[in-house]
Amino acid sequence: MQFMEEMYAMSIGIHNAGVLILIGIIVMNWVHLMRAEDIRVYARQMRIMMPVSSSFIFLILFTGMVMMAAKHLSFTLENIAMILFAVAMVVLEAKRYGSLKHINLKADNAFAIYKEKTYRLFGAELTMNVLMSLWMWR
C-alpha cells in the first residue's frame, strides 16, 4: 500500500511539472510563430518541436493514467474533464500538424492563413491548459 501512495505522489509531481512545461512550450511555439517569416524554415523547426510538445502531452496522459490506477479508476468530475481535455489537446495538435504538413507553399498568402489558424489553435490550447490548471490547483 505504501508503494501505491509513493507512486501516486510521484505521479502528481511529474504530472504538474509536465503541465507547466507544456504551457511553456505552447507559449514558446506561439512566440516562435510570431517571429517566423519563412515558411520553409519554420516548418523545418516545427518538425523538431512538434514531437517535443506531443511527448509532454503523452507524459501528462501517462501520469494521469497511473494516478487513476492508483486511485482504483475513480471517475470523478475532474478526471472526466481531464480525459476530455486530453482528447481535445491531441486533436488540436493533430490539426496544427496536419495544416502545416498540407500547406500550399506556392500560394502567396499560405503562411499568413496558417499563422491565423495556428494562433487560434495555440490560444485554445493555452486557455484549456491554464483553466484546467487553475481548477485543479485551487
Side-chain angles (χ1 to χ4, degrees):
M1 192 63 165
Q2 179 69 22
F3 175 72
M4 291 296 273
E5 290 173 17
E6 289 174 10
M7 186 171 62
Y8 184 77
M10 182 182 70
S11 289
I12 285 179
I14 294 170
H15 192 76
N16 289 338
V19 168
L20 291 175
I21 291 170
L22 184 61
I23 289 172
I25 289 171
I26 293 168
V27 170
M28 261 181 19
N29 283 337
W30 197 328
V31 169
H32 184 67
L33 182 61
M34 283 192 296
R35 297 177 68 188
E37 294 180 15
D38 182 16
I39 182 65
R40 294 177 199 284
V41 173
Y42 177 78
R44 191 175 332 112
Q45 292 168 344
M46 280 298 104
R47 284 190 192 97
I48 296 168
M49 282 304 294
M50 282 185 179
V52 172
S53 60
S54 297
S55 296
F56 276 96
I57 291 171
F58 288 108
L59 169 96
I60 294 166
L61 288 172
F62 179 74
T63 55
M65 287 187 285
V66 168
M67 288 185 291
M68 281 192 69
K71 291 293 183 180
H72 305 291
L73 299 176
S74 61
F75 283 96
T76 63
L77 178 63
E78 291 88 356
N79 288 349
I80 293 169
M82 282 190 268
I83 290 167
L84 294 175
F85 164 74
V87 170
M89 282 293 295
V90 170
V91 168
L92 289 173
E93 281 293 306
K95 280 186 173 190
R96 184 168 68 98
Y97 178 72
S99 63
L100 182 61
K101 184 178 178 184
H102 300 294
I103 196 166
N104 181 4
L105 296 174
K106 294 180 179 158
D108 290 335
N109 61 349
F111 197 34
I113 292 170
Y114 171 79
K115 277 185 169 186
E116 182 181 320
K117 186 180 200 177
T118 304
Y119 285 139
R120 286 193 305 265
L121 293 175
F122 281 149
E125 289 179 15
L126 190 60
T127 301
M128 286 191 313
N129 263 299
V130 169
L131 289 177
M132 183 59 84
S133 297
L134 290 175
W135 182 26
M136 296 312 295
W137 294 331
R138 59 175 154 76

